[in-house]
Amino acid sequence: METTPLSSPDRRSLDLKIRQAKLRLLKMHYEAKVGHIGGNLSCLDSLMTLFHTWTDPQVILSKGHAAGALYVSLWSCGKISEDELKTFHRNDTWLSGHPAPRFRTEIPFATGSLGHGLSLATGLALGKKLQNQTTPTYCVTSDGEWQEGSTWEALIFAQHHQLHHLKILIDENGVQGFGSTSEVASMGELDRKIRGFGATVIEVDGHCPQDLLQALQTPSREGPLVIIMKTTKGKGVSFMENQMEWHYLPMTEAQYHQAIQEVESS
Amino acid sequence: MRAAAAQAWIDLCRAEPQFIFLTGDLGFRALESVREAAGPRFINAGVAEQNMISVAAGLAHQGFKPWAYSIAPFAYARPFEQIRNDVCFHRLPVKIVGNGGGYAYGVMGATHHALEDYGVLGTFPGMSLFVPCFDEDLKSIFPLMNSLSGPAYLRLGLDEKPSGYLPPAYQACRKLLDGHQGVLLTVGPLATSYLGPLLERSPWKRPELWALSHWSSDSLDLPLEFLTRLSSTTDLILSEEHVPTGSLAERISLFFMQNQITPRSLKSAHARGYPSGKYGSQSFHRKESGLDLSSVLNEQGSVS
């Protein structure tokens, strides 16, 4: 399906849905008393854009620790029920902290161990190419994940096989598990390194659906399209933004109410 | 066994529209015919085994029936997590083929040996394991593997059957020779290295020789004829080119305990790594591990 940039009314509608999803995301993390909220907030805009622009897009969430953003996006599209969402991170749930296998067709693969998703998406895209299908496969990775060698194996393979229907979205929030990506294992300008393999690379504001959709229209006939999404970890909640602890910590009641207030007033 | 495998893949390629083959950059003077037969369904995934297994999982999700091939340790050890997460968690029909199981790569060194492959992979629910004895077995095993809806591992080795020996029809577990000096059960092609010297002995002076070629993480089916052969007066020797942990000996011991089967004695011969620290042919390593026939029949260690 071809992508069309959102018109203004659609944009407003999507913005509203994203805000609702963000509130629900905060609520489910607060109620479940779990962390990982920072990396969820950095990629929520892109996931919501994908799921609200196309019908049943094939999305591999390689950064499985952002499972909440994936679940809430599917909830927003009516693919996951409110009752199911209430089970998030509890006993007897399908909605584990990282996506589980064989739950929904919208979640093709269990992810959570970084460095798997891009290879899986590459396999899907190669299969489609051999089947003469032209629908895209989207893969959302983290930026720290590019420290995994298997991710580069996948990029080399996807470029070699000219999988131009593979769209790689890198959530470049600059913060990883125990430091910033520049402190831990700096790759300098990631875009230049990926371009070095021949891929088409575009940088966008990862919190702007319009920018993302325009970038997704970029022709990439010789290999995958790589979109580096400049994002903010903990986007939209002042005390979470760019703070490493929100890779892990659950919210207190006071923090939750402040976060809700900030999102509602944004 | 590679030549027989190549022919079996060519046959499968013609019979199975969803067949697709991936190799980790191996197959020189062995798989060119497969490449020709499969055309675009032959993928050289390069020296990137982790990616190869995950790509295979993606292809399987897309409806293909992928076979992923490499030297045994590179097929199962390097991409272990990809096999677990991407293939087995999703019960996908990816067939992983390890060439040169056990000490088959001999003096090439320890990095090329696979002494724990089926033990490790046998920990994954739904994983089927195949260790053919003879080249001829592949004609039966490949269609069987292709028909499985879940993952499978195939360990290829060297068929050393003596000239003129006609293998019995393929079965998961089958008797290769009659004998009256106890029972010797082996895994895969190790049995073929015993055939020559055992055939030179009369049945009264040799053990009954059996070979196991197929089991799974969920089941171990041993034929009634084998089980009835075992009794309180029968000595059973298990011989396999695999470390004791995860071995057939371990598995079969549990099976015997659960089913109250009690041979007079049960002895295990297994891979012992590199006792001298030196390297040589597959035969050299078998001898060092006590897996050669004379050691197996005379100097076996007890099951721990």
Side-chain angles (χ1 to χ4, degrees):
Chain A
M1 185 185 297
E2 290 299 313
T3 139
T4 310
L6 295 175
S7 62
S8 291
D10 287 339
R11 171 72 197 271
R12 280 197 295 274
S13 168
L14 180 57
D15 285 346
L16 182 60
K17 286 174 181 165
I18 289 174
R19 185 188 300 180
Q20 290 170 335
K22 195 174 285 186
L23 291 169
R24 191 65 186 86
L25 183 73
L26 288 164
K27 182 170 187 265
M28 61 196 262
H29 278 73
Y30 170 65
E31 290 178 343
K33 300 191 188 324
V34 293
H36 279 150
I37 187 68
N40 278 267
L41 289 169
S42 66
C43 68
L44 179 64
D45 296 297
S46 56
L47 289 172
M48 285 290 290
T49 303
L50 293 175
F51 282 106
H52 278 283
T53 304
W54 292 281
T55 304
D56 299 328
Q58 188 172 54
V59 179
I60 304 297
L61 179 67
S62 193
K63 48 172 294 184
H65 54 283
L70 177 63
Y71 301 152
V72 86
S73 297
L74 292 169
W75 163 82
S76 176
C77 296
K79 302 290 186 182
I80 287 179
S81 71
E82 175 64 24
D83 284 345
E84 283 176 317
L85 204 60
K86 285 177 181 170
T87 71
F88 172 64
H89 226 282
R90 298 173 190 277
N91 287 334
D92 200 28
T93 185
W94 283 105
L95 305 183
S96 49
H98 298 82
R102 307 186 309 278
F103 167 50
R104 284 277 195 282
T105 56
E106 292 84 3
I107 305 176
F109 285 102
T111 51
S113 178
L114 297 173
H116 287 235
L118 187 52
S119 292
L120 291 165
T122 297
L124 293 170
L126 175 63
K128 287 182 182 177
K129 181 180 179 182
L130 292 169
Q131 293 162 335
N132 296 315
Q133 296 182 34
T134 58
T135 53
T137 297
Y138 303 96
C139 182
V140 179
T141 78
S142 71
D143 49 356
E145 184 169 6
W146 286 80
Q147 292 157 14
E148 294 277 10
S150 55
T151 301
W152 295 97
E153 291 181 11
L155 179 66
I156 293 167
F157 185 96
Q159 185 66 28
H160 178 77
H161 288 274
Q162 301 191 342
L163 303 178
H164 55 270
H165 294 300
L166 175 61
K167 317 292 183 189
I168 304 167
L169 283 64
I170 303 174
D171 179 8
E172 193 181 66
N173 61 31
V175 182
Q176 57 183 97
F178 199 19
S180 69
T181 51
S182 59
E183 290 168 342
V184 175
S186 175
M187 282 183 282
E189 296 170 351
L190 182 59
D191 62 313
R192 286 185 60 207
K193 292 182 169 62
I194 294 175
R195 279 194 187 97
F197 288 89
T200 302
V201 183
I202 299 172
E203 292 186 346
V204 301
D205 175 354
H207 300 298
C208 178
Q210 188 87 352
D211 282 5
L212 178 59
L213 288 173
Q214 282 184 341
L216 284 169
Q217 287 189 304
T218 306
S220 172
R221 294 193 174 82
E222 292 184 356
L225 174 64
V226 180
I227 299 176
I228 297 180
M229 304 187 299
K230 299 289 186 183
T231 61
T232 302
K233 194 154 191 161
K235 174 70 177 177
V237 179
S238 60
F239 62 88
M240 291 184 185
E241 290 193 353
N242 296 316
Q243 299 303 308
M244 191 178 65
E245 55 262 45
W246 295 102
H247 192 83
Y248 301 102
L249 298 180
M251 288 167 273
T252 64
E253 184 176 359
Q255 287 169 330
Y256 171 64
H257 288 304
Q258 182 182 340
I260 291 294
Q261 192 174 34
E262 289 186 19
V263 172
E264 284 179 336
S265 61
S266 64
Chain B
M1 214 172 264
R2 278 198 312 178
Q7 186 56 52
W9 276 313
I10 291 169
D11 294 344
L12 196 58
C13 178
R14 290 170 180 152
E16 173 54 69
Q18 301 308 322
F19 171 84
I20 189 164
F21 188 91
L22 299 100
T23 174
D25 200 33
L26 291 163
F28 177 65
R29 290 189 176 174
L31 299 182
E32 287 84 353
S33 57
V34 180
R35 181 172 62 190
E36 189 177 332
R41 288 184 289 150
F42 183 99
I43 307 290
N44 186 343
V47 192
E49 296 82 5
Q50 296 174 74
N51 182 62
M52 176 171 74
I53 295 298
S54 299
V55 164
L59 287 164
H61 186 277
Q62 204 60 30
F64 287 92
K65 293 186 172 181
W67 293 63
Y69 171 86
S70 191
I71 294 174
F74 312 151
Y76 80 91
R78 179 61 171 262
F80 175 77
E81 192 183 54
Q82 281 76 9
I83 296 171
R84 186 187 80 132
N85 292 13
D86 303 341
V87 175
C88 293
F89 280 176
H90 301 87
R91 302 172 186 166
L92 289 169
V94 174
K95 315 309 178 198
I96 297 155
V97 183
N99 189 47
Y103 292 113
Y105 273 85
V107 78
M108 298 296 280
T111 57
H112 283 51
H113 297 161
L115 305 179
E116 62 291 292
D117 51 353
Y118 57 72
V120 166
L121 295 176
T123 62
F124 296 143
M127 175 66 81
S128 296
L129 304 163
F130 293 86
V131 190
C133 295
F134 306 104
D135 292 350
E136 292 85 344
D137 292 349
L138 300 182
K139 290 178 184 171
S140 301
I141 286 176
F142 274 46
L144 176 59
M145 289 178 70
N146 182 59
S147 70
L148 297 172
S149 61
Y153 172 70
L154 171 66
R155 180 206 255 205
L156 295 176
L158 181 65
D159 175 358
E160 299 177 85
K161 67 177 174 294
S163 175
Y165 176 81
L166 190 62
Y170 172 75
Q171 293 179 59
C173 183
R174 71 195 130 155
K175 184 166 70 177
L176 304 183
L177 282 179
D178 284 321
H180 300 283
Q181 295 297 315
V183 174
L184 171 58
L185 173 63
T186 64
V187 177
L190 182 58
T192 68
S193 72
Y194 299 156
L195 277 170
L198 286 178
L199 280 165
E200 292 173 359
R201 305 180 189 185
S202 86
W204 297 102
K205 293 185 176 178
R206 70 188 185 204
E208 191 170 291
L209 179 63
W210 286 73
L212 181 71
S213 288
H214 174 208
W215 68 104
S216 77
S217 56
D218 310 311
S219 67
L220 173 65
D221 295 323
L222 298 172
L224 189 59
E225 183 188 356
F226 174 78
L227 296 174
T228 53
R229 180 72 176 76
L230 302 176
S231 70
S232 60
T233 60
T234 303
D235 297 315
L236 174 64
I237 302 169
L238 303 174
S239 177
E240 56 192 314
E241 217 161 313
H242 193 281
V243 294
T245 301
S247 65
L248 172 66
E250 210 175 65
R251 183 73 181 269
I252 217 165
S253 299
L254 178 63
F255 178 89
F256 284 179
M257 290 182 74
Q258 289 172 329
N259 293 279
Q260 290 87 47
I261 296 167
T262 53
R264 182 168 63 186
S265 67
L266 190 156
K267 296 180 178 178
S268 166
H270 51 75
R272 298 181 184 278
Y274 309 94
S276 70
K278 294 180 179 176
Y279 294 88
S281 65
Q282 184 172 30
S283 297
F284 170 85
H285 288 290
R286 284 175 174 172
K287 177 79 174 171
E288 279 219 322
S289 280
L291 287 167
D292 60 299
L293 184 64
S294 62
S295 298
V296 164
L297 296 183
N298 298 305
E299 300 169 1
Q300 317 79 18
S302 297
V303 171
S304 57

